[in-house]
Amino acid sequence: MLTTRPRGTEDIIAPEADVWQAVEELARTLSHRYGYEEIRTPLFEHTELYARSVGETSDIVSKEMYTFTDRGGRSLTLRPEGTAGVVRAFLENRLYARPLPVKLYYLGPMFRFARPQAGRLRQFHQFGVELLGAGEAAADAEVISLAMEFYRHLGLEELTLRLNSVGCPACRPAYREVLLAYLEPRQHSLCADCLARYARNPLRVFDCKEEGCRQVLAEAPLVTAYLCPECSAHLAAVRDALRLLAIPYEDDPYLVRGLDYYTKTAFEVIVPGIGAQSAIGGGGRYDGLVEAFGGPHTPAVGFATGLERVLLALGVRGKTLAPPAGRKVFVAAADAAGAAAGVELLARLRRAGFTADRDYLGRSLKAQMKHADRWGATITVILGEAELGRGTVTVRHMQSGEQEAVPFAQVVEALKEHLAR
Ligand code: AMP
């Protein structure tokens, strides 16, 4: 136990952590370019928040939440997704009083208790954006275009964007009745999960991966055929806006997504070759959620992508992100006087923005050089009493092995010049 992490969690360690940083930096940069600002909500919220937004009948709430009672007797839940917390914060901090739309992004861990497999963890990370206060189809298209740009920058091509509409409170109840009537005589063919879904939220049956259920659904009436004029027009406008942005998409009338709060647009991005968990990201519109929490009518649309799946897809494609520029300098000492001067030089180098390090194990000069090499130093600066007496140090280029004498006072400038080349 002491040396084993909990199932479904991961340690992220360099060099992989460097890739994480690059992916996160891209998420931040792109978000800012699109006018989104960061929001950091708590990692846990009142359990009720998720029950009331994600939905009691969703897989997340019914079986995947990390719920605990704190020492004050309150029921809290580690966040399984980002939207509910953002909407709660939008209301609590009166962000609706700001100029609309309010555009927010988040980046961080989420928690779901599901059976771990490739691309499915119990603690995973999401990058997500929420655009609150805009009902136009152009807003849906913007969120989708940010998502696709994120993947494009990472070099992920061959993605499929699947698009659907799940209707709204005006048209979904009628469709629900039609679907119930279709499923009723076919109940015996549904799996146990879907039987429970059938009674409480029949649309959810579309999320099932069981072969029997899929066969039942092959002939089922589809939500798209029952959309009200407003939802139909919205879907058509999203398609037009995507065409305008030259973003290819596929209509997927079976796509419903697992959360209760979606209205109108639902979409998912699929990447081939990463196994069963091929949905790399997804999102949709949730026009009624803010109001359901007691806030003003605020149409909204959002998107989230799982970073583990992004990395998995990057790995599968054999693509790696450019490593950070090599500016690593090792400061080696030949003797005590060199070590003393090295302390000062190290500080100067770090202040000048170099990644710089020294020995802390009393190693011989030879062992220091070996260590510098293994650490990946581009340059090693060697300091010794005799040379320092002449006011110089030795600069060694690790790859070529070439060495030169450089005045001690000018090392930083000389290295800046070298490493800029
Ligand atoms: P969802 O909120 O379920 O639509 O999830 C949005 C995205 O988060 C998915 O497309 C995945 O990339 C990622 N994701 C969801 N659940 C997990 C999980 N258990 N492990 C890893 N990634 C996940």
Side-chain angles (χ1 to χ4, degrees), residues 300-323:
V301 56
F303 161 81
T305 187
L307 297 186
E308 283 80 3
R309 285 190 203 169
V310 165
L311 263 69
L312 209 58
L314 282 173
V316 167
R317 301 269 160 300
K319 290 194 171 117
T320 45
L321 298 172

Side-chain angles (χ1 to χ4, degrees), residues 152-366:
R152 194 185 65 78
H153 274 275
L154 290 170
L156 289 175
E157 282 129 24
E158 305 164 50
L159 301 175
T160 310
L161 168 65
R162 291 193 185 153
L163 182 69
N164 197 23
S165 173
V166 294
C168 70
C171 50
R172 204 154 45 200
Y175 169 67
R176 187 177 183 273
E177 291 309 313
V178 174
L179 183 62
L180 276 178
Y182 171 84
L183 291 175
E184 213 231 305
R186 296 170 175 84
Q187 285 179 55
H188 57 274
S189 309
L190 297 176
C191 71
D193 271 356
C194 282
L195 265 183
R197 290 178 180 131
Y198 158 77
R200 301 175 70 185
N201 191 344
L203 256 79
R204 198 90 71 198
V205 176
F206 283 101
D207 273 343
C208 189
K209 304 263 185 307
E210 296 287 328
E211 192 45 40
C213 301
R214 300 198 88 126
Q215 275 178 14
V216 168
L217 288 173
E219 309 271 302
L222 299 172
V223 61
T224 342
Y226 293 83
L227 296 178
C228 62
E230 191 187 321
C231 287
S232 280
H234 188 86
L235 180 57
V238 172
R239 289 186 185 127
D240 286 345
L242 290 176
R243 268 184 233 119
L244 209 60
L245 287 160
I247 299 175
Y249 65 88
E250 280 177 15
D251 284 311
D252 180 357
Y254 290 91
L255 176 68
V256 298
R257 294 185 50 78
L259 307 123
D260 265 1
Y261 52 64
Y262 284 114
T263 53
K264 295 182 177 167
T265 312
F267 64 92
E268 226 159 50
V269 183
I270 309 293
V271 58
I274 61 166
Q277 305 301 317
S278 61
I280 195 171
R285 189 162 265 292
Y286 48 98
D287 287 349
L289 188 57
V290 175
E291 228 172 332
F293 280 13
H297 173 66
T298 308
V301 56
F303 161 81
T305 187
L307 297 186
E308 283 80 3
R309 285 190 203 169
V310 165
L311 263 69
L312 209 58
L314 282 173
V316 167
R317 301 269 160 300
K319 290 194 171 117
T320 45
L321 298 172
R327 280 169 68 86
K328 286 171 108 175
V329 181
F330 195 80
V331 178
D335 46 39
V343 171
E344 187 210 321
L345 178 61
L346 189 61
R348 262 161 60 200
L349 284 167
R350 287 172 172 166
R351 258 179 229 142
F354 290 98
T355 297
D357 214 344
R358 56 163 285 188
D359 171 56
Y360 289 106
L361 278 83
R363 289 185 174 101
S364 70
L365 183 59
K366 196 173 155 206

